[in-house]
Amino acid sequence: MNYASKIAKHLLEGRLICAYECKEDYQRLTQNSDIQKHVEITLNNLDRGLATLESGNAYYAVHLTQDSQAQHDARRFFSDLISKARDELDWMDLLAETTQQEIFVQAGNMITFADVIHAINYNQSLQQKLRNLLKEKPDVSINTLVTKLFDRLKKNHIIIEENKRTLEYRFTSKLELLQQALVFVAMHNKLHLEDEESTVRDGML
């Protein structure tokens, strides 16, 4: 299987081709116009298109036509996202506090196991928040809590290991995708509420 076929296969499986997690494939798509052209042809033949995140740091496949299957996939994705939105926001909030950032952490940012241990060791509020998120008992050690936190983030492809010896990790573009999707859902809900309020006002006139 050549590079273009392999990349197209990954995209059709719903994977992100990320500048941090899939560096080589991302570079091939970005720097080799022939590979990008062949990937786009393969996707187009299956009614898919090649799209990028706002930052340009990841590629993913989208439906070209909004048929019933595409609508079903979109509903399933957003229903799943909405059901987990509060958890995802809680994780992002925890990580922002841990890394002492006033805003959400961003794709490409680095985080180390030692820094998180240090931050949580001296912050009872963060300890309790992490225990609540992980649904762990009070007697579980800080080291175990942080290990489980990193395991969860790695399992969800939100971080990747950059240095095994120093336990340094980098946030992937999966984080940016989640952030964009949550903003989209929030804007959609806001517009829906505004439409309902407008309908009520019109009915009162």
Side-chain angles (χ1 to χ4, degrees):
M1 183 181 293
N2 59 34
Y3 290 132
S5 297
K6 185 184 75 169
I7 292 171
K9 181 177 182 292
H10 289 165
L11 290 165
L12 289 167
E13 291 171 346
R15 292 174 56 178
L16 279 178
I17 304 300
C18 168
Y20 312 109
E21 189 174 17
C22 311
K23 294 179 183 178
E24 293 183 357
D25 286 343
Y26 175 82
Q27 289 173 356
R28 290 183 182 110
L29 267 178
T30 305
Q31 300 171 10
N32 191 315
S33 58
D34 287 337
I35 288 179
Q36 184 175 121
K37 181 180 178 181
H38 281 92
V39 168
E40 288 177 332
I41 289 173
T42 300
L43 294 178
N44 291 167
N45 288 337
L46 296 169
D47 195 36
R48 302 291 193 277
L50 186 64
T52 63
L53 295 178
E54 289 180 3
S55 66
N57 286 330
Y59 293 91
Y60 59 101
V62 295
H63 287 275
L64 292 178
T65 57
Q66 291 300 308
D67 56 16
S68 58
Q69 181 59 47
Q71 292 173 5
H72 171 74
D73 290 345
R75 282 195 298 270
R76 185 176 60 182
F77 173 77
F78 283 110
S79 293
D80 183 60
L81 178 66
I82 292 169
S83 69
K84 297 177 180 177
R86 184 168 295 280
D87 282 345
E88 298 297 349
L89 286 171
D90 285 342
W91 285 110
M92 292 178 195
D93 182 52
L94 173 69
L95 291 170
E97 288 186 60
T98 301
T99 55
Q100 298 181 336
Q101 296 188 43
E102 295 180 358
I103 58 174
F104 285 155
V105 289
Q106 301 293 318
N109 288 168
M110 296 291 293
I111 189 169
T112 71
F113 189 90
D115 285 345
V116 175
I117 287 283
H118 179 78
I120 291 179
N121 259 330
Y122 296 96
N123 191 317
Q124 292 290 330
S125 175
L126 283 177
Q127 289 179 31
Q128 190 56 50
K129 184 176 288 188
L130 184 54
R131 290 184 196 281
N132 291 341
L133 287 171
L134 293 171
K135 297 179 174 59
E136 292 290 348
K137 297 178 180 178
D139 58 346
V140 175
S141 70
I142 301 299
N143 191 78
T144 299
L145 288 173
V146 176
T147 297
K148 289 188 174 184
L149 167 64
F150 276 77
D151 286 345
R152 176 188 169 115
L153 295 174
K154 285 188 289 184
K155 180 181 178 181
N156 291 339
H157 301 281
I158 292 176
I159 61 171
I160 55 170
E161 190 174 68
E162 286 281 337
N163 190 312
K164 191 169 186 177
R165 183 178 62 83
T166 58
L167 295 179
E168 291 179 284
Y169 299 84
R170 188 183 299 278
F171 289 97
T172 73
S173 295
K174 177 71 176 293
L175 179 62
E176 182 184 350
L177 177 65
L178 285 171
Q179 290 169 335
Q180 286 187 199
L182 288 170
V183 169
F184 176 85
V185 170
M187 290 299 296
H188 175 77
N189 288 340
K190 181 175 182 293
L191 291 173
H192 181 66
L193 288 173
E194 289 175 350
D195 287 343
E196 286 185 346
E197 290 173 358
S198 177
T199 300
V200 171
R201 285 197 300 269
D202 290 345
M204 295 174 64
L205 295 177

